[in-house]
């Protein structure tokens, strides 16, 4: 018989591991060997989170079936009661290794949440995961509390004029890699990137090789020490246990391209030598797990299935897209993709296309479920920019996209920030603003730059004039000046400028004809219509932002970057 005491009895525990300080760990590098180092560190993190989860499983005599999820800097393990002492010992040993190898950059927090019979019978598994998140937050506020304080505060290194690692700045035994002096860990991460590049070409890698390559994993036990893992289902002898982010841009000789070379590739196509950084993750995934499944009954099986589906997209599909789509292959570094987020660096023009493609495919993958959306950021920067700065900026812009609210559609998140503008992705029947901005930039190139004589410089100066008109309207809009002479004048300035530069008297008679096939006229109609809606229907729009005007500005900025004088390879 089940009574109240039975319901409150702990029958299982949920172990939640959270790697804290991931951004510091990945970005604690200089521009030396930046591409390989960044890729190697992200790969190292993927292996650490997976192998450490397996290490815990092995020490608790559990199997892979007990690993509910591992990805995105987290892992969840379903275990028996009474594991607290063993987990505390494992966590202490791992964090001592982290401190020795990476200083204060990386820390493993582990929370243990009891699960009662009542949690199962009363459908409270979602509450268990919520409680687990609260426990891990408390744990992260007391980092390294189990470590001897002398290890934390004792002087490090010798000081003075000594050689330091050219990537992370650490003193110690240095080795030489391609003429650069590197510490043991940075050397291992750079070589890991090279190893996985070769494994990508072969179709598999061996776990034993990876563990021997990374010093941080020397004492970590995995469930199967010798298995190899396939990237493609092309061998019955190899075991596809989990995916890792590959996607290396290579030259014709199979050499990994640097960020400088990716910028040059963009310059050959567009005339602009810049990189693009794309960062995205799923909105409200924690709420979906803890509350979104509750109407069906939140169970470990359903949570595990949802996690596997997310991993299938981020760890499987995005890998495949990056490696096999001709636009992205050899133009984009897939730095990280797993769990519910992705992070890529590449030629700036390809990154913009990549962002749109990833979002569209994600929406198809989720059957366009309105409650499962994605927010993202795209940052355009010079190839020599500080890695730490651009990654921090990318993260900040992603947060701006996630903070986005558009009152007209009661719309939050599900947005992308580019050039500092936050644009909506699909909302009800409202057109995808980011996709529309890309199409607008193509129309600008066709109907303005090609139209404005044969002088590209003149065409680009006209782009600047149009941007000036739109920007003035945008600034007035943000200052909340509806129907004032300042903002209404934008319509007349645009009409005057268009008639002077793009439309002759014969074409002007079609200016109000919605069926006209004249490209320049149709493009004017489109921009004019957007301005009219913004100016005269202002009360229907969010007072804090004007996405439609931001959409035009984004299109103009893309067009500017696409149409600089191209540099030939020979030069």
């Amino acid at each position: 018989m089940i009574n109240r005491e039975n319901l409150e009895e702990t029958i299982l525990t949920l172990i939640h591991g959270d790697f804290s300080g991931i951004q510091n760990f990945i970005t604690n590098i200089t521009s030396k060997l930046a591409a390989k180092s960044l890729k190697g560190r992200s790969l190292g993190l993927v292996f650490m989170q997976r192998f450490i989860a397996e290490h815990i499983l092995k020490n608790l005599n559990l199997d892979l079936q007990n690993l509910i999820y591992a990805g995105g800097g987290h892992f969840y393990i379903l275990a028996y009661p009474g594991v607290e002492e063993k987990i505390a010992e494992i966590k202490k040993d791992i964090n001592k290794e982290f401190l020795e190898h990476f200083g204060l950059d990386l820390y493993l927090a582990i929370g243990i949440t009891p699960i009662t019979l009542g949690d199962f019978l009363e459908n409270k598994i979602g509450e268990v995961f919520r409680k687990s998140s609260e426990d891990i937050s408390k744990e992260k506020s007391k980092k390294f509390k189990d470590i001897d304080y002398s290890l934390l505060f004792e002087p490090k290194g010798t000081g003075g004029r000594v050689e330091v690692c050219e990537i992370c700045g650490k003193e110690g035994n240095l080795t030489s890699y391609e003429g650069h002096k590197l510490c043991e860990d940075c050397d291992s991460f750079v070589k890991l990137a090279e190893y996985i590049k070769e494994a990508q070409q072969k179709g598999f890698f061996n776990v034993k090789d990876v563990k021997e390559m990374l010093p941080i994993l020397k004492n970590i036990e995995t469930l199967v020490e010798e298995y190899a893992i396939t990237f493609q289902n092309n061998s019955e002898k190899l075991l596809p246990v989990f995916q890792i982010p590959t996607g290396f841009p290579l030259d014709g000789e199979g050499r990994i391209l640097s960020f400088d070379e990716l910028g040059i590739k963009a310059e050959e196509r567009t005339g602009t030598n810049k990189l693009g950084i794309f960062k995205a993750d799923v909105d409200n995934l924690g709420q979906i797990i803890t509350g979104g499944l509750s109407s069906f009954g939140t169970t470990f099986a359903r949570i595990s299935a949802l996690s596997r589906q997310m991993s299938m997209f981020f760890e499987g599909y995005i890998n495949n897209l990056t490696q096999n789509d001709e636009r992205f292959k050899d133009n984009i570094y897939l730095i990280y993709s797993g769990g519910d987020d992705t992070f890529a660096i590449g030629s700036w023009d390809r990154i913009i296309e990549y962002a749109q493609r990833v979002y569209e495919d994600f929406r198809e993958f989720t059957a366009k479920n309105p409650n499962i959306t994605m927010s993202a950021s795209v940052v355009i920067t010079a190839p020599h920019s500080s890695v730490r700065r651009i990654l921090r900026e990318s993260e900040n812009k992603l947060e701006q996209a996630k903070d986005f609210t558009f009152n007209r559609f009661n719309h939050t998140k599900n947005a992308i920030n580019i050039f500092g503008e936050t644009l909506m992705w699909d909302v009800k029947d409202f057109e995808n603003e980011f996709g529309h901005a890309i199409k607008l930039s193509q129309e600008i190139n066709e109907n303005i730059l090609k139209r404005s004589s044969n002088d590209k410089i003149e065409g680009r100066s006209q782009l600047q004039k149009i941007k000036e008109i739109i920007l003035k309207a945008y600034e007035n809009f943000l200052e909340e000046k509806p129907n004032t002479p300042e903002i209404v004048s934008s319509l007349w300035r645009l009409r005057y400028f268009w008639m002077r530069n793009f439309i002759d008297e014969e074409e002007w008679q079609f200016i109000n004809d919605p069926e006209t096939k004249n490209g320049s006229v149709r493009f004017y109609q489109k921009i004019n219509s957007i301005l009219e809606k913004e100016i005269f229907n202002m009360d229907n729009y969010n007072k804090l932002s004007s996405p439609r005007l931001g959409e035009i500005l984004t299109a103009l900025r893309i067009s500017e970057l696409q149409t600089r004088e191209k540099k030939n390879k020979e030069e």
Side-chain angles (χ1 to χ4, degrees):
M1 176 181 287
I2 297 176
N3 54 39
R4 174 54 57 184
E5 289 184 3
N6 295 136
L7 292 178
E8 294 177 356
E9 179 186 355
T10 298
I11 59 173
L12 292 168
T13 54
L14 180 66
I15 301 171
H16 178 190
D18 184 324
F19 290 81
S20 178
I22 289 175
Q23 184 163 323
N24 286 337
F25 167 71
I26 291 179
T27 62
N28 186 22
I29 60 175
T30 64
S31 59
K32 302 291 186 183
L33 299 170
K36 288 183 183 179
S37 184
L38 199 59
K39 181 68 173 180
R41 282 178 173 252
S42 68
L43 285 168
L45 183 65
V46 171
F47 287 121
M48 279 188 273
Q49 68 184 19
R50 174 60 183 231
F51 292 169
I52 287 172
E54 289 194 26
H55 179 74
I56 292 173
L57 289 169
K58 189 163 186 176
N59 278 269
L60 296 179
N61 294 315
L62 298 173
D63 209 341
L64 274 177
Q65 285 86 343
N66 294 81
L67 182 61
I68 298 172
Y69 173 71
H74 297 262
F75 60 79
Y76 291 91
I77 293 172
L78 192 61
Y80 47 80
V83 300
E84 288 80 3
E85 187 175 334
K86 188 67 174 177
I87 292 299
E89 181 183 341
I90 292 172
K91 185 188 74 169
K92 182 178 179 179
D93 290 341
I94 289 172
N95 281 322
K96 283 181 68 175
E97 290 290 326
F98 280 175
L99 185 63
E100 179 183 342
H101 288 270
F102 313 126
L104 300 177
D105 285 344
L106 197 61
Y107 176 79
L108 175 61
I110 300 181
I112 302 173
T113 306
I115 306 170
T116 66
L117 180 60
D119 292 328
F120 282 99
L121 297 180
E122 297 171 8
N123 190 26
K124 293 182 178 179
I125 299 302
E127 288 295 324
V128 172
F129 275 86
R130 187 177 291 112
K131 176 67 164 52
S132 174
S133 296
E134 293 172 358
D135 292 343
I136 210 74
S137 295
K138 294 176 183 177
E139 171 74 13
K140 288 165 69 175
S141 69
K142 297 177 286 185
K143 294 180 181 179
F144 300 105
K145 66 182 177 67
D146 298 325
I147 303 296
D148 187 340
Y149 281 178
S150 66
L151 296 176
L152 292 173
F153 297 108
E154 67 182 6
K156 301 291 192 298
T158 59
R161 297 176 62 86
V162 296
E163 285 189 319
V164 298
C165 174
E166 293 182 35
I167 291 179
C168 71
K170 187 164 63 177
E171 294 180 18
N173 296 325
L174 303 182
T175 59
S176 179
Y177 179 87
E178 295 183 355
H180 298 280
K181 295 291 187 179
L182 307 181
C183 68
E184 182 183 35
D185 289 303
C186 289
D187 180 66
S188 70
F189 288 133
V190 170
K191 288 177 178 175
L192 177 64
E194 285 283 358
Y195 173 80
I196 295 301
K197 179 208 72 172
E198 295 171 3
Q200 173 185 313
Q201 294 168 333
K202 292 188 296 185
F204 67 92
F205 69 89
N206 190 285
V207 169
K208 186 177 180 181
D209 293 341
V210 173
K211 289 176 64 177
E212 290 177 350
M213 192 174 299
L214 296 178
I216 190 67
L217 297 177
K218 64 182 179 183
N219 296 319
I220 298 298
E221 300 177 281
T222 49
L223 290 175
V224 184
E225 293 292 331
E226 299 290 343
Y227 59 65
I229 299 175
T230 58
F231 296 101
Q232 317 243 345
N233 295 324
N234 58 0
S235 175
E236 297 179 358
K237 297 180 181 179
L238 303 178
L239 183 65
V241 177
F242 67 100
Q243 293 281 344
I244 60 170
T246 50
F248 291 88
L250 307 175
D251 64 12
E253 299 177 355
R255 184 182 58 84
I256 299 176
L257 296 175
S258 67
F259 288 159
D260 285 338
E261 289 168 314
L262 291 178
I264 290 170
K265 291 187 75 170
E267 185 177 21
E268 290 168 355
R269 288 187 295 266
T270 67
T272 299
N273 184 338
K274 289 188 180 294
L275 294 178
I277 295 88
F278 172 62
K279 190 171 179 59
D281 68 24
V282 177
D283 299 319
N284 305 319
L285 185 60
Q287 294 177 27
I288 293 170
I289 289 175
T290 57
L293 298 173
S294 58
S295 59
F296 304 101
T298 305
T299 66
F300 284 107
R302 289 192 172 110
I303 291 172
S304 182
L306 176 62
S307 299
R308 282 197 305 271
Q309 290 295 312
M310 287 295 174
S311 295
M312 187 183 299
F313 182 82
F314 284 97
E315 296 171 16
Y317 174 74
I318 289 183
N319 258 329
N320 185 70
L321 174 69
T322 311
Q323 293 176 42
N324 297 317
D325 189 298
E326 287 301 322
R327 292 173 299 168
F328 311 135
K329 180 182 178 182
D330 300 332
N331 282 289
I332 288 178
Y333 245 112
L334 185 58
I335 301 297
Y336 177 79
S337 192
D340 68 335
D341 62 331
T342 191
F343 169 43
I345 298 179
S347 303
W348 77 268
D349 55 328
R350 295 300 190 231
I351 280 288
I352 288 177
E353 296 175 4
Y354 188 73
Q356 178 66 3
R357 175 66 186 274
V358 167
Y359 178 78
E360 289 175 346
D361 291 349
F362 179 73
R363 298 298 292 141
E364 290 294 326
F365 183 77
T366 59
K368 298 189 177 179
N369 187 316
N371 299 310
I372 306 178
T373 59
M374 175 190 289
S375 292
S377 65
V378 170
V379 173
I380 308 298
T381 188
H384 288 102
S385 298
S386 160
V387 173
R388 179 168 291 189
R389 182 190 66 76
I390 61 176
L391 295 187
R392 189 168 294 146
E393 182 180 358
S394 180
E395 184 66 31
N396 291 340
K397 298 303 182 184
L398 175 58
E399 289 304 313
Q400 288 181 29
K402 285 187 172 292
D403 290 341
F404 175 69
T405 301
F406 190 46
N407 293 335
R408 183 182 180 189
F409 293 100
N410 192 29
H411 175 81
T412 58
K413 301 187 178 182
N414 193 23
I416 181 169
N417 186 288
I418 179 171
F419 301 118
E421 300 291 339
T422 300
L423 304 180
M424 291 186 295
W425 265 324
D426 54 355
V427 185
K428 297 181 181 178
D429 296 326
F430 202 70
E431 188 169 7
N432 179 323
E433 287 192 325
F434 183 59
H436 193 211
I438 294 173
K439 292 177 183 175
L440 271 177
S441 70
Q442 295 167 351
E443 293 184 38
I444 290 169
N445 296 345
E446 293 172 3
N447 298 306
I448 295 180
L449 294 173
K450 290 185 178 179
R451 179 87 177 190
S452 57
S453 74
N454 293 319
D455 187 346
K456 182 173 288 189
I457 295 176
E458 179 185 337
R460 286 177 56 78
S461 69
Q462 290 170 338
L463 269 184
Q464 292 292 335
K465 186 66 177 178
I466 296 169
K467 191 168 78 171
E468 178 189 323
I469 294 170
I470 303 298
L471 193 57
K472 185 64 177 176
Y474 194 30
E475 290 170 352
N476 284 320
F477 188 98
L478 294 176
E479 293 173 9
E480 300 187 30
K481 295 181 179 179
N483 302 323
T484 60
E486 292 91 345
I487 195 166
V488 174
S489 68
S490 298
L491 289 171
W492 298 108
R493 290 177 66 202
L494 181 67
R495 176 168 292 205
Y496 173 77
F497 181 74
W498 220 268
M499 190 170 183
R500 281 283 306 267
N501 294 279
F502 305 119
I503 303 176
D504 57 32
E505 292 184 12
E506 183 178 342
E507 293 170 321
W508 192 256
Q509 61 182 308
F510 302 108
I511 201 67
N512 295 315
D513 180 5
E515 304 297 326
T516 182
K517 295 183 179 180
N518 183 289
S520 187
V521 172
R522 281 190 290 107
F523 188 65
Y524 165 80
Q525 290 173 340
K526 184 175 292 187
I527 294 184
N528 188 69
S529 172
I530 291 172
L531 276 171
E532 286 181 340
K533 287 177 181 177
E534 295 283 6
I535 292 169
F536 298 116
N537 295 314
M538 257 180 111
D539 291 340
N540 295 326
Y541 284 76
N542 185 353
K543 298 296 184 183
L544 297 179
S545 64
S546 174
R548 300 294 280 180
L549 287 176
E551 181 182 312
I552 301 175
L553 287 172
T554 299
L556 289 165
R557 286 166 178 153
I558 292 173
S559 187
E560 282 182 310
L561 292 175
Q562 286 175 332
T563 54
R564 291 179 177 167
E565 186 174 353
K566 297 179 183 178
K567 185 175 181 180
N568 296 323
K569 287 184 179 181
E570 292 76 10
E571 298 175 349

